[in-house]
Amino acid sequence: MNRKILIGVIGAVLIVLPFLVTNYWVFLLTDVFIMALFATSLNLLLGYTGLVSFGQAAYYAAGAYGTALMIKSFSSSLWVAIGVGVGAAFVLALGIGYLCVRLSRLYFAMLTLAFSSMIYAIIFKWRDLTGGDDGIAGVVRPPLDFFFVKFSLANPKAYYFFVLVLVALSVWVLWRIVRSPLGYILQANRDNAKRAEFIGVAVKRFRLFAFLIAGFFAGLSGSLYALLAGFVSPELSFWTKSGDPVIMALVGGFNTFLGPVVGAAIYSLLKDFIATKTDNWLFYLGLILLVWVLTLPQGVMGAIQKRRGKV
């Protein structure tokens, strides 16, 4: 099927779907969109730069807490709240990334994990600001303000469409980035960093660019989640949260652009389905994912492209 036709069909389904399902499914699908953006942001590092980060939850949580604190204490503007959340994630990514990009491979991964653990400890202990282990509850969704016109996002379907549009635009921007000269430089860094540096590429600088972009969009996904759930907690910055986008990328195929999106849908829906069937859902989810990765090491999209002769 032609790619444009396929995108049009999927878009039409996503537009109609919320009117055919309950609000629970609308909430779940909205969460899938958010996690798809989270996983795609990580894949800019994992799949296109060759850097395994176990610390993306730090920027996800920064976005979520920045938005929540802004709404609860300072401003009722939707755009200001999201902007502050994303800005907090970006600044945090700048500070951590400046130190992390000097290393590579296992050392990079461990350093990102260490910084993420530090952010978790700060959020957990700084009760006066973050609420500690109680988190921040009662985060309401401000109306969508376009100049003199306001649209309420209190309805789950209204917020679903807001997230759908914002995530679609963000994924499109990431697509343009990986297809730009910057994207090709990042892939050269992934394939052979020494050779890229030999021909004049400032490897560390471009790694930092990728780190900042990934942190920015991770922060945006966290900000959108805070508005979806109406609650934020330290678990958003815990190391297991950083593992979620890695698993999604592996399930969907981190060597493809849309792999993390597909992986996010599969992982989120599968986790929800198993959790409603048994109390031991972590065991069964882990078992299924283990078999999945062993039988489809290239992920869903990777296997499809290999079968079509594109890999």
Side-chain angles (χ1 to χ4, degrees), residues 128-164:
D128 291 340
L129 179 67
T130 65
D133 56 344
D134 292 330
I136 300 174
V139 181
V140 299
R141 295 176 205 154
L144 179 60
D145 192 350
F146 281 117
F147 300 103
F148 301 104
V149 181
K150 292 185 177 181
F151 300 94
S152 174
L153 295 178
N155 186 289
K157 292 183 178 64
Y159 191 63
Y160 168 96
F161 285 113
F162 173 73
V163 172
L164 175 60

Side-chain angles (χ1 to χ4, degrees), residues 174-249:
L174 286 166
W175 166 260
R176 297 297 301 170
I177 289 172
V178 301
R179 295 294 175 179
S180 69
L182 172 60
Y184 293 123
I185 290 174
L186 296 179
Q187 292 172 63
N189 176 40
R190 174 199 63 192
D191 296 337
N192 195 319
K194 289 185 178 179
R195 182 173 295 178
E197 193 168 18
F198 181 77
I199 63 174
V201 174
V203 170
K204 294 178 183 177
R205 182 187 303 169
F206 285 103
R207 282 179 179 172
L208 181 59
F209 289 163
F211 202 97
L212 291 174
I213 295 169
F216 176 92
F217 285 106
L220 177 58
S221 60
S223 178
L224 293 175
Y225 177 80
L227 294 171
L228 172 67
F231 174 76
V232 295
S233 67
E235 282 69 26
L236 296 179
S237 63
F238 199 48
W239 68 268
T240 54
K241 192 65 178 180
S242 293
D244 284 347
V246 176
I247 295 173
M248 293 171 188

Side-chain angles (χ1 to χ4, degrees), residues 64-81:
Y65 270 91
T67 295
L69 288 169
M70 183 57 57
I71 291 175
K72 292 286 289 186
S73 304
F74 299 103
S75 174
S76 61
S77 169
L78 176 69
W79 298 118
V80 170

Side-chain angles (χ1 to χ4, degrees), residues 2 28 30 42 91 96 120 142 183 197 200-201 234 280-281 303 309:
N2 183 276
L28 183 59
T30 306
L42 169 75
V91 171
I96 294 177
Y120 171 77
E197 193 168 18
V201 174
N280 300 317
W281 63 273

Side-chain angles (χ1 to χ4, degrees), residues 33 79 91 100 111 127 141 218 222 244 269 306 308:
F33 298 153
W79 298 118
V91 171
C100 289
L111 192 57
R127 178 172 289 273
R141 295 176 205 154
D244 284 347
L269 296 176
K306 183 177 181 180
R308 294 173 60 186

